[in-house]
Amino acid sequence: MTPTLKTDMAERISRISVSSTMKVAAEADRLRREGVDVVDFGAGEPDFPTPDNIKRAAIQAIEQNFTKYTPAGGIVELKKAVCERHTADFGTSYKPANCVISVGGKHVLFNLTQAVIEAGDEVVIPTPYWVTYKDIVNYAGGTCVFVDTDEANGFKLTAAMIEKSLTPRTKMVMINSPTNPSGAVLDREEFEKIFHLTSRRGIYLLTDECYCHFLYDSSPFSIASLPGASNTVLIAGTVSKTYAMTGWRIGFGLTPEHLAGAMNKLQSHSTSNPTSIAQKAALEALTGPQDSVGVMLAEYRRRRDFVVPRLRQIAGVTCNMPDGAFYAYPNISCALGKKGIRTTLDFADRLLKEASVAVVPGEAFGTDRHVRISYATSMAELERGLDRLQKFIENLA
Ligand SMILES: Cc1ncc(COP(=O)(O)O)c(C=O)c1O
């Protein structure tokens, strides 16, 4: 008798979908390889090269044969450098025992949710949110509770909005400021109120500090610098955007010791250590000269100041001025309902096919009237792409 093959997949894998930002990148890449002249506003990564001092540190690591396994949670020198950088930048006092080095900030977020969330737990996530949050919470068996922010108020989140969404089952609140995709920055006072609210109720406050150095009007700040924060605040950090190192895959978690231990345990049975060479590169990034960060920020500001007014020139399009990160999040609802375009997914799809411009549809971030434009690309590409976008929208009229 032929045995029945157990070909069904585990139920948990059906709770997640392929990252929409990755989908857009793959489609833009496919078209480009077919010879199409695509303008790519989809990629959420700096267009700058990794600074030379960082590259040299990696080359040196190879030459010195630093090419073997390291401890699963990363080398102690790098953990120390992460803690010291965080102290210098934000006045916190983490120790290496609080730190885990992982394969990018995304991996930190995944490990953290796996370590903390289980079936029945609720996780509060402000909308618009970064795509991955929803999927990693679902994968862990938790339930997402979305808190809608309003475009008319600059997508600003308040503590009162969070408070309304808390229940006895809330285990964690996830904050990302500056926010991907809207570029909104949480007011410091509101952030502090959210911290006091969550710590009073014994709820974890996860702060994704991915874009914390890219702020246009305020100084970098970490909620973890408040007294008592190290008990309930969980930090997901990364060198990816700050130092133009997206491909190196180094992120870090700063958490209470028992959680760092839990993440370390999980990581020891999955990826083991992040690449040894990339760890040495990240060490140089965190301990070497920091001026490249300011240079990139100044360039992002120049581009933001071009992109947003240019978007606002397109009839029917509105766009908030982002206070941080490198994304604009225009409202393109003027195009919905025209020539068969019903959703922002349709819009992004048709824009790519008919005008060869890649953007990420708002549906990916939990809103249904926007698209995300990454301005981490050259001024020439921004001009070309925005001209095409304008023509595309005008032709729908
Ligand atoms: C909000 C946010 N958090 C975390 C990450 C993860 O970055 P990485 O895994 O490249 O370090 C990203 C990347 O796009 C992001 O936008």
Side-chain angles (χ1 to χ4, degrees):
M1 207 174 71
T2 330
T4 315
L5 284 176
K6 298 264 197 300
T7 51
D8 284 351
M9 287 184 285
E11 180 274 328
R12 64 181 172 275
I13 203 73
S14 65
R15 294 183 218 143
I16 58 174
S17 28
V18 176
S19 156
S20 322
T21 46
M22 300 270 178
K23 252 195 247 171
V24 173
E27 184 58 10
D29 191 49
R30 190 186 66 77
L31 288 171
R32 218 179 279 116
R33 274 183 287 109
E34 279 177 8
V36 180
D37 170 27
V38 175
V39 175
D40 191 358
F41 292 157
E45 64 176 342
D47 57 319
F48 301 100
T50 303
D52 282 342
N53 61 313
I54 300 174
K55 290 190 216 166
R56 277 196 302 272
I59 293 166
Q60 201 181 25
I62 296 173
E63 285 172 351
Q64 292 178 346
N65 296 313
F66 192 75
T67 52
K68 305 286 170 64
Y69 291 135
T70 76
I75 54 175
V76 176
E77 301 95 289
L78 181 53
K79 292 184 182 184
K80 227 169 133 245
V82 165
C83 298
E84 285 170 5
R85 178 88 264 140
H86 216 268
T87 304
D89 291 344
F90 306 117
T92 52
S93 50
Y94 288 103
K95 300 276 175 296
N98 302 110
C99 182
V100 178
I101 310 296
S102 301
V103 187
K106 196 180 264 191
H107 191 205
V108 175
L109 290 159
F110 184 84
N111 285 346
L112 263 176
T113 45
Q114 286 294 320
V116 166
I117 303 302
E118 57 196 340
D121 290 339
E122 292 179 355
V123 179
V124 175
I125 302 175
T127 307
Y129 49 75
W130 182 49
V131 267
T132 292
Y133 297 154
K134 171 171 68 65
D135 289 89
I136 56 178
V137 169
N138 289 338
Y139 192 73
T143 303
C144 299
V145 175
F146 298 111
V147 173
D148 289 336
T149 60
D150 187 359
E151 180 185 1
N153 291 331
F155 294 112
K156 290 280 187 190
L157 181 70
T158 64
M161 290 158 79
I162 295 285
E163 187 160 21
K164 272 193 228 146
S165 65
L166 301 181
T167 76
R169 288 205 291 272
T170 311
K171 185 79 177 275
M172 183 155 84
V173 173
M174 276 187 169
I175 300 289
N176 173 222
S177 175
T179 306
N180 176 5
S182 71
V185 172
L186 180 51
D187 289 339
R188 186 167 172 158
E189 199 186 321
E190 292 298 327
F191 211 162
E192 292 188 4
K193 280 191 201 162
I194 293 170
F195 162 66
H196 292 302
L197 175 67
T198 48
S199 76
R200 233 182 9 252
R201 302 232 191 152
I203 295 167
Y204 282 124
L205 175 58
L206 191 157
T207 172
D208 178 351
E209 298 188 342
C210 184
Y211 300 96
C212 64
H213 290 285
F214 296 134
L215 284 166
Y216 299 111
D217 301 311
S218 47
S219 324
F221 156 76
S222 175
I223 196 67
S225 61
L226 295 195
S230 57
N231 297 324
T232 52
V233 169
L234 314 176
I235 297 174
T238 174
V239 297
S240 292
K241 320 279 173 160
T242 314
Y243 302 103
M245 293 179 70
T246 45
W248 298 79
R249 310 310 302 138
I250 296 290
F252 52 87
L254 289 169
T255 69
E257 249 183 84
H258 70 288
L259 276 182
M263 289 196 290
N264 186 57
K265 184 165 66 169
L266 180 59
Q267 194 162 297
S268 75
H269 294 296
S270 52
T271 56
S272 280
N273 63 275
T275 306
S276 56
I277 302 152
Q279 289 191 63
K280 285 288 190 179
L283 179 62
E284 171 61 22
L286 293 163
T287 55
Q290 300 293 301
D291 24 314
S292 61
V293 185
V295 172
M296 285 190 268
L297 177 61
E299 182 57 23
Y300 291 142
R301 179 195 299 278
R302 195 168 79 89
R303 295 173 188 177
R304 176 197 70 155
D305 292 347
F306 166 72
V307 166
V308 175
R310 181 72 188 79
L311 282 166
R312 288 173 177 168
Q313 276 170 19
I314 304 174
V317 172
T318 55
C319 187
N320 285 327
M321 189 57 101
D323 293 326
F326 42 67
Y327 306 105
Y329 202 51
N331 182 320
I332 51 83
S333 55
C334 62
L336 303 181
K338 291 187 183 150
K339 299 208 171 144
I341 296 178
R342 287 166 298 113
T343 63
T344 66
L345 274 166
D346 294 341
F347 180 90
D349 194 45
R350 294 268 298 273
L351 181 68
L352 185 55
K353 286 202 180 102
E354 295 169 25
S356 307
V357 176
V359 297
V360 185
E363 263 93 349
F365 309 104
T367 73
D368 57 8
R369 285 167 295 160
H370 306 84
V371 291
R372 191 192 74 177
I373 289 179
S374 164
Y375 50 86
T377 188
S378 71
M379 282 297 254
E381 284 298 274
L382 290 169
E383 280 178 33
R384 250 159 45 91
L386 290 171
D387 286 348
R388 289 184 191 181
L389 176 69
Q390 174 156 20
K391 228 177 255 155
F392 176 78
I393 291 180
E394 283 171 359
N395 285 342
L396 294 173

